[in-house]
């Protein structure tokens, strides 16, 4: 709940009889990005208000409450580093924390640092327009409230607009339809329920084993099998926690300098450094590796991410292990990914995913053998027949990275909409700013490591950079900052070059990184693949050179 009423904002003024809150900074979103932005900017003495559509803080962890939701980064790394006290007082219970625990952590942070008094919940932002005369952002909510601020920070998350594909007849279905990204807070009682689930990305792969345990019957509609690896999750012991707390400083430093923003992998063990070339192995050696280490055998090879032939050998090893785990050969075959490289999509982690298909109450419908025709009142009609259900689950993902920004009416100089500027795909400088949109910042925006990294490490880096930038401007009496066209163009070229030739951009890869999951979305590789450490150094150097590539305007006198 809000602890402070809106009318206690620092400066209000009347406009056409309505009250307008005037602030230094409006932050949109109270997930991990928005919470830290508020903490940091308020600490600089700025007036800040966070506007959040949800009824509480937590962002992605507020919405994604589906059964089995869990982080794919070890909990001691998927946590804030800005407060040593917070690090020491919070006790994670599992190597990879589940959604309820991460949400508790977000709430703890909001309370611990007295953030709630500047967060306005149940407030969906509908538009943000730049007023060139006033050099201010005018942010409006769906309820018609107006905020004006020198700076507007979009902390709206990368995976926050659910993708609900149009399937003919969905409105006719007699039972409930759930989306993993908008799960009911009261949970769902699956006892005695026949469930159909569409989608086998991270959300599907995580929820399928848990729903299967409770439902009478679960049918999985799979369009593309995924490469999913066991999370190796386990409870943390007191000794694990003590060890982690003793080395937090070194751990954070290593994360900041790393490529991905995390240094511990599945099971909380250090990410192994690959040493062998798969192309130099014999079929017998590869088979022996699978026999000894299962999916983990794939971690050994350094040529798999960079060489298509090597990658295909790894895919064969992957399929071999699926065959070993799934008893029914037809189901095993259906679950085997083919025709696209290992590592082209975000790695999925699971707990007992393949074993779930050995249960009597679980069936796979491999949509490659005949797709969904329509949803009926009683189930799903496919080219392979009709399947009857009491409830349906869409685990169909998100309009990633740009979806949430483009659903708002964001307009920059000359009233130009962001939608028009990004018509052919997102354009940013450093994933932080867009030319033509002065003083608008995007936390973990497209063109930054964002979704390729430990999000909290990247969030903290962006917020710190933005906070330092605002301080720099205030110290020098500067009123606006925005990228030059040239700097933005150069950065886009660099982002594209960095991803070229990797599995991430293979022609056969249809990932949400490329926008390929949304019909009509331009196929552009959105995140920056150059690595968290190198990116951070680049951003710091740009700031040290007086914000090279940005145009800064002096305040009007
Ligand atoms: O979404 P997805 P997600 N008919 O887009 C299928 C993060 N995350 O929510 O591959 C039939 O990956 C679609 O099929 P296809 C994480 O970054 C993290 O699972 O397009 N099927 C696919 O199988 C992750 O990468 C965690 O052929 C349809 C699925 O739906 C990201 O969120 C947990 C369809 C969508 O998979 C997104 O994951 C959960 C249709 N019309 C999420 N439309 C962690 O572990 C779509 N599909 C931290």
């Amino acid at each position: 709940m809000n602890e402070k009423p809106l009318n206690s904002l620092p400066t209000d003024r009347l406009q056409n009889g309505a009250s307008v809150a005037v602030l230094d900074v409006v932050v949109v979103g109270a997930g991990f990005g928005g919470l830290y932005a508020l903490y940091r900017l308020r600490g600089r003495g700025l007036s800040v208000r966070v506007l959040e559509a949800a009824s509480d803080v937590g962002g992605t962890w507020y919405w994604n409450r589906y059964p089995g939701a869990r982080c794919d980064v070890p909990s001691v790394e998927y946590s804030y580093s800005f407060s040593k006290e917070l690090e020491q007082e919070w006790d994670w219970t599992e190597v990879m924390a589940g959604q309820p625990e991460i949400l508790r952590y977000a709430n703890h942070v909001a309370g611990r640092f007295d953030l709630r008094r500047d967060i306005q919940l149940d407030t969906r932002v509908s538009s943000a327009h730049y007023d060139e005369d006033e050099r201010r952002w005018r942010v409006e909510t769906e309820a018609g409230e107006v905020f004006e601020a020198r700076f507007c920070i979009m902390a709206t998350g990368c995976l926050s607009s659910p993708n609900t594909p149009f399937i003919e007849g969905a409105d006719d279905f007699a039972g409930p339809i759930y989306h993993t990204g908008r799960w009911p807070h009261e949970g769902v009682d699956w006892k005695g329920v026949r469930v159909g689930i569409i989608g086998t990305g991270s959300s599907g792969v995580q929820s399928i084993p848990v729903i299967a345990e409770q439902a009478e019957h679960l049918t999985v509609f799979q369009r593309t099998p995924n490469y999913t690896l066991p999370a190796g999750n386990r409870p943390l012991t007191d000794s694990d926690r003590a060890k982690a707390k003793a080395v937090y400083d070194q751990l954070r430093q290593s994360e900041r300098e790393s490529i991905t923003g995390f240094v511990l992998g599945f099971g909380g063990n250090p990410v192994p450094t690959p040493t062998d070339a798969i192309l130099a192995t014999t079929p017998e050696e590869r088979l022996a590796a699978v026999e000894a280490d299962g999916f983990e055998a794939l971690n050994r090879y350094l040529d798999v991410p960079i060489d298509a032939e090597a990658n295909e050998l790894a895919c064969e090893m992957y399929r071999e292990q699926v065959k070993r785990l799934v008893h029914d050969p037809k189901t095993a075959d259906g679950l085997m990914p083919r025709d696209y490289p290992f590592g082209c999509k975000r790695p999925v982690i699971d707990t007992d995913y393949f074993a779930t298909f050995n249960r009597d109450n679980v069936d796979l419908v491999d949509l490659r053998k005949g797709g969904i025709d329509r949803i009926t009142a009683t189930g799903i009609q496919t080219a392979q027949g009709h399947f009857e259900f009491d409830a349906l689950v869409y685990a169909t993902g998100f309009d990633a990275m740009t979806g949430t920004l483009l659903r708002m009416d964001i307009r920059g100089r000359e009233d130009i909409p962001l939608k028009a500027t990004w018509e052919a795909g997102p354009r940013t400088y450093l994933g932080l700013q867009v030319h033509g949109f002065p003083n608008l910042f995007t936390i973990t925006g497209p063109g930054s490591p964002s979704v390729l990294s430990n999000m909290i490490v990247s969030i903290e880096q962006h917020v710190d950079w933005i906070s330092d930038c605002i301080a720099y401007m205030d110290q020098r009496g500067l009123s606006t900052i925005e990228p030059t066209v040239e700097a933005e163009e150069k950065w886009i070229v660099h982002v594209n070059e960095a991803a070229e030739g990797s599995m991430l951009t293979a022609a056969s890869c249809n990932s949400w990184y490329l926008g390929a999951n949304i019909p009509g979305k331009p196929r552009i590789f959105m995140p920056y693949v150059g690595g968290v450490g190198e990116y951070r150094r680049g951003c710091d150097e740009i700031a040290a050179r007086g914000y090279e590539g940005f145009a800064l305007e002096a305040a009007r006198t």
Side-chain angles (χ1 to χ4, degrees), residues 131-203:
D131 180 334
E132 288 190 68
D133 295 332
E134 298 288 333
R135 294 189 179 172
R136 275 191 190 155
W137 282 91
R138 182 185 163 86
V139 177
E140 280 198 42
T141 71
E142 278 184 355
E145 286 174 278
V146 180
F147 300 81
E148 286 185 357
R150 294 193 290 143
F151 298 93
C152 179
I153 299 182
M154 292 297 173
T156 42
C158 296
L159 295 157
S160 43
S161 284
N163 167 39
T164 305
F166 172 76
I167 304 178
E168 183 99 35
D171 288 344
D172 301 338
F173 186 64
I177 301 183
Y178 305 101
H179 192 295
T180 45
R182 285 290 179 273
W183 204 257
H185 285 207
E186 62 282 11
V188 180
D189 181 4
W190 297 113
K191 210 157 154 250
V193 179
R194 296 165 305 163
V195 189
I197 184 166
I198 301 171
T200 50
S202 293
S203 306

Coordinates of all heavy atoms in Angstrom, one line a residue, residues 131-203:
D131 N 7.9 17.8 -23.7 CA 7.5 19.2 -24.0 C 8.8 20.0 -24.2 O 9.6 20.3 -23.3 CB 6.8 19.8 -22.7 CG 6.3 21.2 -22.9 OD1 7.0 21.9 -23.7 OD2 5.3 21.6 -22.3
E132 N 9.0 20.4 -25.5 CA 10.3 21.0 -25.9 C 10.4 22.4 -25.2 O 11.5 22.8 -24.9 CB 10.4 21.1 -27.4 CG 10.7 19.8 -28.0 CD 11.0 19.9 -29.5 OE1 12.1 20.4 -29.8 OE2 10.2 19.4 -30.3
D133 N 9.3 23.1 -25.1 CA 9.4 24.5 -24.5 C 9.8 24.4 -23.1 O 10.7 25.2 -22.6 CB 8.1 25.2 -24.6 CG 7.7 25.4 -26.1 OD1 8.7 25.5 -26.9 OD2 6.5 25.5 -26.4
E134 N 9.2 23.5 -22.3 CA 9.5 23.4 -20.9 C 10.7 22.5 -20.6 O 11.2 22.4 -19.5 CB 8.2 22.8 -20.2 CG 7.0 23.7 -20.3 CD 7.1 24.9 -19.4 OE1 7.9 24.9 -18.4 OE2 6.5 26.0 -19.7
R135 N 11.1 21.7 -21.6 CA 12.1 20.7 -21.5 C 11.8 19.7 -20.3 O 12.5 19.5 -19.4 CB 13.5 21.3 -21.2 CG 14.0 22.1 -22.4 CD 15.4 22.6 -22.2 NE 15.9 23.3 -23.4 CZ 17.0 23.9 -23.5 NH1 17.8 24.0 -22.5 NH2 17.3 24.5 -24.6
R136 N 10.6 19.3 -20.4 CA 10.1 18.4 -19.4 C 9.3 17.2 -20.1 O 8.7 17.4 -21.1 CB 9.0 19.1 -18.5 CG 9.7 19.8 -17.4 CD 8.6 20.3 -16.5 NE 9.2 21.2 -15.5 CZ 8.5 22.1 -14.9 NH1 7.2 22.2 -15.1 NH2 9.0 22.9 -14.0
W137 N 9.2 16.1 -19.3 CA 8.4 15.0 -19.8 C 7.0 15.2 -19.1 O 7.0 15.5 -17.9 CB 9.0 13.7 -19.4 CG 10.0 13.3 -20.4 CD1 11.4 13.6 -20.4 CD2 9.8 12.7 -21.7 NE1 12.0 13.2 -21.5 CE2 11.1 12.6 -22.4 CE3 8.7 12.2 -22.3 CZ2 11.2 12.1 -23.6 CZ3 8.8 11.6 -23.6 CH2 10.1 11.5 -24.2
R138 N 6.0 15.0 -19.8 CA 4.6 15.0 -19.3 C 4.1 13.6 -19.4 O 3.9 13.0 -20.4 CB 3.8 16.0 -20.1 CG 2.4 16.2 -19.6 CD 1.6 17.0 -20.6 NE 0.2 16.9 -20.4 CZ -0.5 17.6 -19.5 NH1 0.1 18.5 -18.8 NH2 -1.8 17.4 -19.4
V139 N 3.9 13.0 -18.2 CA 3.5 11.6 -18.1 C 2.1 11.5 -17.7 O 1.7 12.0 -16.6 CB 4.5 10.8 -17.2 CG1 4.1 9.4 -17.0 CG2 5.9 10.9 -17.7
E140 N 1.3 10.8 -18.4 CA -0.1 10.6 -18.0 C -0.5 9.2 -17.8 O 0.1 8.3 -18.4 CB -1.0 11.1 -19.2 CG -1.1 12.7 -19.2 CD -2.4 13.2 -20.0 OE1 -3.5 12.6 -19.9 OE2 -2.2 14.1 -20.7
T141 N -1.4 9.0 -16.8 CA -1.8 7.7 -16.5 C -3.2 7.4 -17.1 O -3.9 8.3 -17.5 CB -1.9 7.5 -15.0 OG1 -3.0 8.2 -14.5 CG2 -0.6 8.0 -14.3
E142 N -3.5 6.1 -17.1 CA -4.8 5.7 -17.6 C -6.0 6.4 -16.8 O -7.0 6.6 -17.4 CB -5.0 4.2 -17.6 CG -4.3 3.5 -18.8 CD -4.5 2.0 -18.9 OE1 -5.1 1.4 -17.9 OE2 -4.0 1.4 -19.9
A143 N -5.7 6.7 -15.6 CA -6.7 7.3 -14.7 C -6.8 8.8 -15.0 O -7.6 9.5 -14.3 CB -6.5 7.0 -13.3
G144 N -5.9 9.3 -15.8 CA -5.9 10.7 -16.1 C -5.0 11.6 -15.3 O -5.0 12.8 -15.4
E145 N -4.2 11.0 -14.4 CA -3.3 11.8 -13.6 C -2.2 12.3 -14.4 O -1.7 11.5 -15.4 CB -2.8 11.0 -12.4 CG -3.8 10.7 -11.3 CD -3.2 9.8 -10.3 OE1 -3.3 8.6 -10.5 OE2 -2.7 10.3 -9.3
V146 N -1.6 13.4 -14.1 CA -0.5 14.0 -14.9 C 0.7 14.3 -14.0 O 0.6 14.8 -12.9 CB -1.0 15.3 -15.5 CG1 0.2 15.9 -16.4 CG2 -2.2 15.1 -16.4
F147 N 1.9 13.9 -14.5 CA 3.1 14.1 -13.8 C 4.1 14.8 -14.8 O 4.1 14.5 -15.9 CB 3.8 12.8 -13.3 CG 2.9 12.0 -12.4 CD1 1.9 11.2 -12.9 CD2 3.1 12.1 -11.1 CE1 1.1 10.5 -12.1 CE2 2.3 11.3 -10.2 CZ 1.3 10.5 -10.7
E148 N 4.8 15.8 -14.3 CA 5.8 16.4 -15.1 C 7.1 16.3 -14.5 O 7.3 16.5 -13.2 CB 5.5 17.9 -15.3 CG 4.3 18.1 -16.3 CD 4.0 19.6 -16.6 OE1 4.7 20.5 -16.0 OE2 3.1 19.8 -17.4
A149 N 8.1 16.0 -15.3 CA 9.5 15.7 -14.7 C 10.6 16.1 -15.7 O 10.4 16.0 -16.9 CB 9.6 14.2 -14.3
R150 N 11.7 16.4 -15.1 CA 12.9 16.7 -16.0 C 13.3 15.5 -16.7 O 13.8 15.5 -17.8 CB 14.0 17.3 -15.2 CG 13.7 18.6 -14.5 CD 15.0 19.2 -14.0 NE 15.5 18.5 -12.9 CZ 16.8 18.3 -12.6 NH1 17.7 18.7 -13.5 NH2 17.2 17.7 -11.5
F151 N 13.3 14.4 -16.0 CA 13.8 13.1 -16.5 C 12.7 12.0 -16.4 O 11.9 12.0 -15.4 CB 15.0 12.6 -15.7 CG 16.1 13.5 -15.8 CD1 16.3 14.5 -14.8 CD2 17.0 13.4 -16.9 CE1 17.4 15.4 -14.9 CE2 18.1 14.3 -17.0 CZ 18.3 15.3 -16.0
C152 N 12.6 11.1 -17.4 CA 11.7 10.0 -17.3 C 12.5 8.7 -17.5 O 13.3 8.6 -18.5 CB 10.6 10.2 -18.4 SG 9.4 8.8 -18.5
I153 N 12.3 7.8 -16.6 CA 13.1 6.6 -16.7 C 12.1 5.4 -16.8 O 11.3 5.2 -16.0 CB 14.0 6.4 -15.4 CG1 15.0 7.5 -15.2 CG2 14.7 5.0 -15.4 CD1 15.9 7.4 -14.1
M154 N 12.3 4.7 -17.9 CA 11.5 3.5 -18.2 C 12.1 2.3 -17.6 O 13.1 1.8 -18.1 CB 11.3 3.3 -19.7 CG 10.5 4.4 -20.4 SD 8.8 4.4 -19.7 CE 8.1 5.9 -20.4
A155 N 11.6 1.9 -16.4 CA 12.1 0.7 -15.8 C 11.0 -0.4 -16.0 O 10.5 -1.0 -15.0 CB 12.3 0.9 -14.3
T156 N 10.6 -0.6 -17.2 CA 9.4 -1.3 -17.5 C 9.7 -2.8 -17.8 O 8.8 -3.6 -18.2 CB 8.7 -0.7 -18.8 OG1 9.7 -0.3 -19.7 CG2 7.9 0.5 -18.3
G157 N 11.0 -3.2 -17.7 CA 11.3 -4.6 -17.9 C 11.4 -5.1 -19.3 O 10.8 -4.4 -20.2
C158 N 12.0 -6.2 -19.5 CA 12.2 -6.7 -20.9 C 11.1 -7.7 -21.3 O 10.9 -8.0 -22.5 CB 13.6 -7.3 -21.1 SG 14.9 -6.1 -20.8
L159 N 10.5 -8.3 -20.3 CA 9.6 -9.4 -20.6 C 8.3 -9.1 -19.7 O 8.0 -9.8 -18.8 CB 10.2 -10.7 -20.2 CG 11.4 -11.1 -21.0 CD1 12.3 -12.1 -20.3 CD2 11.0 -11.7 -22.4
S160 N 7.6 -8.0 -20.1 CA 6.5 -7.6 -19.2 C 5.2 -7.5 -20.0 O 4.2 -7.3 -19.4 CB 6.9 -6.3 -18.5 OG 7.5 -5.4 -19.4
S161 N 5.2 -7.6 -21.3 CA 4.0 -7.6 -22.1 C 3.7 -9.0 -22.6 O 4.4 -9.5 -23.5 CB 4.1 -6.6 -23.3 OG 3.9 -5.3 -22.8
P162 N 2.8 -9.7 -22.0 CA 2.5 -11.1 -22.4 C 2.1 -11.2 -23.9 O 1.4 -10.3 -24.4 CB 1.4 -11.5 -21.5 CG 1.3 -10.6 -20.4 CD 1.9 -9.3 -20.9
N163 N 2.6 -12.2 -24.5 CA 2.2 -12.5 -25.9 C 1.1 -13.5 -25.8 O 1.3 -14.7 -25.4 CB 3.4 -13.1 -26.7 CG 3.0 -13.7 -28.0 OD1 2.1 -13.2 -28.7 ND2 3.6 -14.8 -28.4
T164 N -0.1 -13.1 -26.2 CA -1.3 -14.0 -26.3 C -1.6 -14.2 -27.8 O -2.3 -13.4 -28.3 CB -2.5 -13.5 -25.5 OG1 -2.0 -13.2 -24.2 CG2 -3.6 -14.5 -25.5
P165 N -1.1 -15.3 -28.4 CA -1.3 -15.4 -29.8 C -2.8 -15.5 -30.1 O -3.5 -16.1 -29.3 CB -0.5 -16.7 -30.2 CG -0.4 -17.4 -28.9 CD -0.4 -16.4 -27.8
F166 N -3.2 -15.0 -31.3 CA -4.6 -15.2 -31.7 C -4.8 -16.6 -32.1 O -4.1 -17.1 -33.0 CB -4.9 -14.2 -32.8 CG -6.3 -14.5 -33.4 CD1 -7.4 -14.1 -32.7 CD2 -6.5 -15.2 -34.6 CE1 -8.7 -14.4 -33.2 CE2 -7.7 -15.5 -35.1 CZ -8.9 -15.1 -34.4
I167 N -5.7 -17.3 -31.5 CA -6.1 -18.7 -31.9 C -7.6 -18.6 -32.1 O -8.3 -18.3 -31.1 CB -5.7 -19.7 -30.9 CG1 -4.1 -19.7 -30.6 CG2 -6.0 -21.1 -31.4 CD1 -3.6 -20.7 -29.6
E168 N -8.0 -18.9 -33.3 CA -9.4 -18.9 -33.6 C -10.2 -19.7 -32.5 O -9.9 -20.8 -32.1 CB -9.6 -19.6 -35.0 CG -11.0 -19.7 -35.5 CD -11.2 -18.6 -36.5 OE1 -10.2 -18.2 -37.3 OE2 -12.3 -18.0 -36.6
G169 N -11.3 -19.1 -32.1 CA -12.3 -19.8 -31.2 C -11.9 -19.7 -29.7 O -12.7 -20.2 -28.9
A170 N -10.8 -19.0 -29.4 CA -10.4 -18.9 -27.9 C -11.6 -18.4 -27.1 O -11.7 -18.8 -25.9 CB -9.2 -18.1 -27.8
D171 N -12.3 -17.5 -27.6 CA -13.4 -16.9 -26.8 C -14.6 -17.9 -26.5 O -15.3 -17.7 -25.6 CB -14.1 -15.7 -27.5 CG -13.1 -14.5 -27.5 OD1 -12.2 -14.5 -26.7 OD2 -13.3 -13.6 -28.3
D172 N -14.6 -19.0 -27.3 CA -15.7 -20.0 -27.2 C -15.4 -21.0 -26.0 O -16.3 -21.7 -25.6 CB -15.8 -20.8 -28.5 CG -16.2 -19.9 -29.6 OD1 -16.7 -18.8 -29.4 OD2 -15.9 -20.3 -30.8
F173 N -14.1 -21.0 -25.6 CA -13.7 -22.1 -24.6 C -14.6 -21.9 -23.3 O -14.6 -20.8 -22.8 CB -12.2 -22.0 -24.4 CG -11.8 -23.1 -23.5 CD1 -11.9 -24.5 -23.9 CD2 -11.3 -22.9 -22.2 CE1 -11.4 -25.5 -23.1 CE2 -10.9 -23.9 -21.4 CZ -10.9 -25.3 -21.8
A174 N -15.1 -23.0 -22.9 CA -16.1 -22.9 -21.7 C -15.3 -22.8 -20.4 O -15.9 -22.2 -19.4 CB -17.0 -24.1 -21.7
G175 N -14.1 -23.3 -20.3 CA -13.4 -23.2 -19.1 C -12.4 -22.0 -19.0 O -12.4 -21.2 -19.9
P176 N -11.7 -21.9 -17.9 CA -10.7 -20.8 -17.7 C -9.5 -21.0 -18.6 O -9.1 -22.1 -18.9 CB -10.3 -20.9 -16.3 CG -10.6 -22.3 -15.8 CD -11.7 -22.8 -16.7
I177 N -9.0 -19.8 -19.1 CA -7.7 -19.8 -19.8 C -6.7 -18.9 -19.0 O -7.0 -17.8 -18.7 CB -7.9 -19.2 -21.3 CG1 -8.9 -20.0 -22.1 CG2 -6.5 -19.2 -22.0 CD1 -9.1 -19.6 -23.5
Y178 N -5.6 -19.5 -18.7 CA -4.6 -18.7 -17.9 C -3.4 -18.4 -18.8 O -3.1 -19.2 -19.7 CB -4.1 -19.6 -16.7 CG -5.2 -20.1 -15.8 CD1 -5.7 -21.4 -15.9 CD2 -5.8 -19.2 -14.9 CE1 -6.7 -21.8 -15.1 CE2 -6.8 -19.7 -14.1 CZ -7.3 -21.0 -14.2 OH -8.3 -21.4 -13.4
H179 N -2.7 -17.3 -18.5 CA -1.4 -17.0 -19.2 C -0.3 -17.1 -18.1 O -0.5 -16.5 -17.0 CB -1.5 -15.7 -19.8 CG -0.3 -15.4 -20.8 ND1 1.0 -15.3 -20.3 CD2 -0.2 -15.3 -22.1 CE1 1.8 -15.1 -21.3 NE2 1.1 -15.1 -22.4
T180 N 0.8 -17.8 -18.3 CA 1.8 -17.9 -17.3 C 2.3 -16.5 -16.8 O 2.7 -16.4 -15.6 CB 3.0 -18.7 -17.8 OG1 3.3 -18.2 -19.1 CG2 2.7 -20.2 -17.9
G181 N 2.3 -15.5 -17.7 CA 2.8 -14.2 -17.4 C 1.8 -13.3 -16.6 O 2.1 -12.2 -16.3
R182 N 0.6 -13.8 -16.4 CA -0.5 -13.1 -15.7 C -1.2 -14.0 -14.8 O -2.4 -14.2 -14.9 CB -1.5 -12.4 -16.7 CG -0.9 -11.2 -17.4 CD -0.8 -10.0 -16.5 NE -0.2 -8.9 -17.2 CZ 1.1 -8.6 -17.3 NH1 2.0 -9.5 -16.8 NH2 1.5 -7.5 -17.9
W183 N -0.5 -14.7 -13.9 CA -1.1 -15.8 -13.2 C -1.9 -15.3 -12.0 O -1.6 -14.3 -11.4 CB 0.1 -16.7 -12.6 CG -0.4 -18.1 -12.4 CD1 -0.7 -18.6 -11.1 CD2 -0.6 -19.1 -13.3 NE1 -1.1 -19.9 -11.3 CE2 -1.1 -20.2 -12.6 CE3 -0.6 -19.2 -14.7 CZ2 -1.4 -21.4 -13.3 CZ3 -0.9 -20.3 -15.4 CH2 -1.3 -21.4 -14.7
P184 N -3.1 -16.0 -11.8 CA -3.9 -15.4 -10.7 C -3.2 -15.6 -9.3 O -2.6 -16.6 -9.0 CB -5.2 -16.4 -10.7 CG -4.9 -17.5 -11.6 CD -3.7 -17.1 -12.5
H185 N -3.4 -14.5 -8.5 CA -2.7 -14.5 -7.2 C -3.2 -15.6 -6.3 O -2.4 -16.0 -5.4 CB -2.9 -13.1 -6.6 CG -2.1 -12.1 -7.3 ND1 -1.6 -10.9 -6.6 CD2 -1.6 -12.0 -8.5 CE1 -0.9 -10.3 -7.5 NE2 -0.9 -10.9 -8.6
E186 N -4.4 -16.0 -6.4 CA -4.9 -17.0 -5.5 C -4.5 -18.4 -5.9 O -4.7 -19.4 -5.2 CB -6.5 -16.9 -5.3 CG -7.2 -17.2 -6.6 CD -7.3 -16.0 -7.6 OE1 -6.5 -15.0 -7.4 OE2 -8.0 -16.0 -8.6
G187 N -3.8 -18.5 -7.0 CA -3.3 -19.8 -7.5 C -4.4 -20.6 -8.1 O -5.6 -20.1 -8.2
V188 N -4.1 -21.8 -8.6 CA -5.2 -22.6 -9.3 C -5.1 -24.0 -8.7 O -4.1 -24.5 -8.5 CB -4.8 -22.7 -10.8 CG1 -5.9 -23.5 -11.5 CG2 -4.8 -21.3 -11.5
D189 N -6.3 -24.5 -8.4 CA -6.4 -25.8 -7.9 C -6.6 -26.8 -9.0 O -7.7 -26.7 -9.7 CB -7.6 -25.9 -6.9 CG -7.7 -27.3 -6.3 OD1 -6.9 -28.2 -6.6 OD2 -8.7 -27.5 -5.5
W190 N -5.6 -27.6 -9.3 CA -5.7 -28.4 -10.5 C -6.3 -29.8 -10.3 O -6.4 -30.6 -11.2 CB -4.3 -28.6 -11.1 CG -3.6 -27.4 -11.6 CD1 -2.5 -26.8 -11.0 CD2 -4.0 -26.6 -12.7 NE1 -2.2 -25.7 -11.7 CE2 -3.1 -25.5 -12.8 CE3 -5.0 -26.6 -13.6 CZ2 -3.1 -24.5 -13.7 CZ3 -5.1 -25.7 -14.6 CH2 -4.2 -24.6 -14.7
K191 N -6.7 -30.1 -9.0 CA -7.2 -31.4 -8.7 C -8.4 -31.8 -9.5 O -9.4 -31.0 -9.6 CB -7.6 -31.4 -7.2 CG -7.4 -32.7 -6.6 CD -7.3 -32.7 -5.0 CE -7.8 -34.0 -4.5 NZ -9.0 -33.9 -3.8
G192 N -8.3 -32.9 -10.2 CA -9.4 -33.4 -11.0 C -9.6 -32.7 -12.3 O -10.6 -32.8 -13.0
V193 N -8.6 -31.8 -12.7 CA -8.8 -31.0 -13.9 C -7.9 -31.5 -15.0 O -6.8 -32.0 -14.9 CB -8.3 -29.5 -13.6 CG1 -8.4 -28.6 -14.8 CG2 -9.1 -28.9 -12.4
R194 N -8.6 -31.5 -16.2 CA -7.8 -31.9 -17.5 C -7.3 -30.6 -18.1 O -8.1 -29.7 -18.4 CB -8.8 -32.6 -18.4 CG -9.3 -34.0 -17.9 CD -10.5 -34.4 -18.8 NE -11.5 -33.4 -18.8 CZ -12.5 -33.3 -19.8 NH1 -12.5 -34.2 -20.7 NH2 -13.4 -32.4 -19.7
V195 N -6.0 -30.5 -18.2 CA -5.4 -29.3 -18.6 C -4.7 -29.4 -19.9 O -4.0 -30.4 -20.2 CB -4.3 -28.8 -17.6 CG1 -3.8 -27.4 -17.9 CG2 -4.8 -28.9 -16.1
G196 N -4.8 -28.4 -20.8 CA -4.0 -28.3 -22.0 C -3.1 -27.1 -21.9 O -3.5 -26.0 -21.5
I197 N -1.8 -27.3 -22.2 CA -0.9 -26.2 -22.1 C -0.2 -26.0 -23.5 O 0.2 -26.9 -24.1 CB 0.2 -26.4 -21.0 CG1 1.1 -25.2 -20.8 CG2 1.1 -27.6 -21.2 CD1 1.9 -25.2 -19.5
I198 N -0.2 -24.7 -23.9 CA 0.4 -24.3 -25.2 C 1.7 -23.6 -24.9 O 1.7 -22.6 -24.3 CB -0.5 -23.4 -26.0 CG1 -1.9 -24.1 -26.2 CG2 0.1 -23.0 -27.3 CD1 -2.9 -23.2 -26.8
G199 N 2.8 -24.2 -25.4 CA 4.1 -23.5 -25.3 C 5.1 -24.3 -24.4 O 4.7 -24.7 -23.4
T200 N 6.3 -24.3 -24.9 CA 7.4 -25.1 -24.2 C 8.7 -24.2 -24.1 O 9.8 -24.7 -24.4 CB 7.7 -26.4 -24.9 OG1 7.9 -26.2 -26.3 CG2 6.5 -27.4 -24.7
G201 N 8.5 -22.9 -23.9 CA 9.7 -22.1 -23.5 C 9.9 -22.3 -22.0 O 9.4 -23.2 -21.4
S202 N 10.7 -21.3 -21.4 CA 11.0 -21.4 -20.0 C 9.8 -21.6 -19.1 O 9.7 -22.4 -18.2 CB 11.8 -20.2 -19.5 OG 13.0 -20.1 -20.1
S203 N 8.7 -20.8 -19.4 CA 7.5 -20.8 -18.6 C 6.8 -22.1 -18.7 O 6.4 -22.7 -17.7 CB 6.6 -19.7 -19.0 OG 7.2 -18.4 -19.0

